[in-house]
Amino acid sequence: MLEEVERWLGRRSWSVADRPLERILAAKRNTKVSVVLPALNEEATVGDIVAVIRRELMSEAVPLVDELVVIDSGSTDRTAEVAAAAGARVVARDAILPRIPAVPGKGEVLWRSLMVTSGDVVCFVDADLRDFSADFVSGIVGPLLTDPDIDFVKAMYDRPFGDTPGQGGRVTELVARPLLNLHWPQLAGFVQPLGGEYAARRSLLERLPFPVGYGVELGLLVDALHTVGLDALAQVDVGVRKHRHQDGRALGRMAAAIYRTAQLRLSRGHLVRPWLTQFDRGEKGFEPRTYAVDTEERPPMAEIVEYARRRVA
């Protein structure tokens, strides 16, 4: 590990207990905090997450979060209804920036969320978390409110796989961590580089391009490093993250998108072939299934005319 990274780990890695809520609230002052949950068919979990944030971080006693928005990415279940009933403002992905046709993907939803939120600090939280703790929000928002030199904070946590501790995050260990260690060794200290829980200053997010799909977490992390430098990045231990695990094929598609995102940032030139073929066993043996790998990225939101007009207004 680079000496720079070792020093960074000592200076920019914390536990949620290092910043009590009282200290965070005292530092908040007039800073507005928005929490965004990207959601696609998450009726089983999104309501509980919204309810915890509303109860523990949006009360008169603890007014940490000013805005809680669920961006519904075309759910076919009761995600939108459940989220609204729990107290979130629900916005349909396709209703945001209708001039630009939406494409499927988590990064697309996160990018569009900047248009319908107003917080100086924007906190992203996945909507499939189980046994959700408000620490996931306060932990990563805290450094941004107490330290003006911090611009981007990722959550770190244990990721059990079923009943086995520490075995979650398979794409992280097999793809993302090797890529980061080999090509961006300054980021080797991040425990959960692909984690979906992170917070950043709007002033940074609006300057970054957003990969539309699974590559968004790696893309934002790498681009944040190049934009503001390692010392403006941080991570906070928030405990244990439990969520729905995807099957091996879905992980393969995720890995391909992440590799493509890394490759684009390495070369900004020739792209690898943006397709991934996987195999299912059928009646006549193994049958190929070919999927497109996300190849589109959204430009920095600061370049979008509608966003600039909103800022002026």
Side-chain angles (χ1 to χ4, degrees), residues 273 275-279 287-291 293:
R273 181 176 178 269
W275 299 92
L276 175 71
T277 299
Q278 298 175 317
F279 294 89
E287 299 175 356
R289 300 282 187 271
T290 299
Y291 302 88
V293 174

Side-chain angles (χ1 to χ4, degrees), residues 67-84:
E67 186 176 41
L68 175 55
V69 182
V70 170
I71 310 293
D72 184 20
S73 188
S75 297
T76 56
D77 66 1
R78 298 174 59 250
T79 290
E81 179 182 343
V82 170

Side-chain angles (χ1 to χ4, degrees), residues 199-232:
R201 300 191 191 281
R202 177 177 294 271
S203 57
L204 171 61
L205 291 173
E206 66 186 12
R207 289 185 285 158
L208 302 180
F210 277 61
V212 298
Y214 287 127
V216 64
E217 272 80 32
L218 183 135
L220 290 178
L221 187 60
V222 169
D223 291 343
L225 171 69
H226 289 302
T227 303
V228 295
L230 180 61
D231 203 49

